[in-house]
Amino acid sequence: MSSVVKILVVGPTKAGKSTIANIIGELADGPSETYRPTVGCRIVELERDPPPAVASFGKFTLELWDVSGDFKYEKCWGPIQKEAHGIIFVYDPAAPNYEESLAQFVNMFPKAMMLSPKFCLAFANHHNIGAGNEPPRVAVPKCMDALDKHNGSAEETNGIFQAFEKYLIKLLKMLGDKQKEEEESMMNWSMCG
């Protein structure tokens, strides 16, 4: 069975959302030299096999919806959220007021979508630390206490892949469980008719 897994990549402007989406989507090996803000939203799509731990899920299409963090596109966010399975928050812990900004995104995305924190990942993306260097430890914003977290840098692509694969395994397991519950529920209804 081929299916689509839609994950939103959300966060403040200049956090590195497009870079992370490009790395996960195998479009780039690391950060770009020039900053180009995303206009509205762009979709990075690829066919892939599931990680071995969830091989029963089968081949699927991964859609990473790279959402602009600019509030001038806020009216587009509602339609973008439809049928999303998960959210990756990307933020730069060195940016001023990043905690306030993230609290807004938490309210406008998973809370507005009634999406449980277990379907989300928070990625602290430290800029310009250089590949191989350990990113500084940072306190996670209170609004993200319940989320899975990764503290790293887009310059360290292995860390991005490892954090994403761990998140993807968890997400696919939860989606598989949800589908199984829905199928069992339908079977129970069909027995009544």
Side-chain angles (χ1 to χ4, degrees):
M1 175 182 96
S2 181
S3 58
V4 175
V5 176
K6 177 180 177 181
I7 299 173
L8 307 182
V9 184
V10 175
T13 58
K14 298 183 180 179
K17 297 178 299 296
S18 295
T19 300
I20 302 296
N22 286 343
I23 291 169
I24 294 169
E26 301 172 3
L27 297 177
D29 294 332
S32 170
E33 294 296 317
T34 55
Y35 172 72
R36 287 186 299 279
T38 301
V39 176
C41 179
R42 71 183 190 91
I43 302 168
V44 175
E45 183 179 280
L46 71 149
E47 292 287 321
R48 66 164 287 175
D49 292 314
V54 284
S56 63
F57 195 85
K59 194 172 194 78
F60 66 98
T61 300
L62 175 63
E63 291 182 355
L64 298 168
W65 289 53
D66 175 15
V67 182
S68 172
D70 192 327
F71 281 84
K72 72 181 179 185
Y73 299 112
E74 184 179 346
K75 289 183 180 170
C76 302
W77 293 346
I80 288 168
Q81 295 170 354
K82 286 188 178 11
E83 299 178 9
H85 299 103
I87 298 174
I88 298 173
F89 288 96
V90 179
Y91 65 97
D92 177 0
N97 303 320
Y98 78 92
E99 286 194 49
E100 291 171 29
S101 184
L102 283 172
Q104 286 181 297
F105 283 104
V106 167
N107 284 327
M108 299 178 95
F109 281 88
K111 284 187 178 178
M113 297 164 61
M114 292 185 275
L115 188 69
S116 169
K118 65 185 177 184
F119 290 92
C120 302
L121 170 68
F123 189 93
N125 182 26
H126 298 268
H127 295 287
N128 303 316
I129 63 165
N133 293 329
E134 191 68 30
R137 287 274 153 223
V138 293
V140 177
K142 289 207 182 310
C143 64
M144 300 197 155
D145 275 344
L147 308 188
D148 285 344
K149 300 154 199 77
H150 178 74
N151 186 47
S153 169
E155 295 161 353
E156 190 59 53
T157 57
N158 282 344
I160 292 170
F161 282 121
Q162 289 171 357
F164 180 73
E165 287 298 296
K166 184 177 170 188
Y167 166 70
L168 185 62
I169 290 167
K170 180 180 173 184
L171 182 63
L172 293 178
K173 281 182 180 176
M174 290 186 298
L175 293 175
D177 292 346
K178 185 177 174 184
Q179 182 178 353
K180 195 180 295 181
E181 284 174 19
E182 289 170 359
E183 288 170 359
E184 287 172 4
S185 177
M186 292 303 288
M187 291 297 290
N188 290 339
W189 277 111
S190 66
M191 289 179 191
C192 293

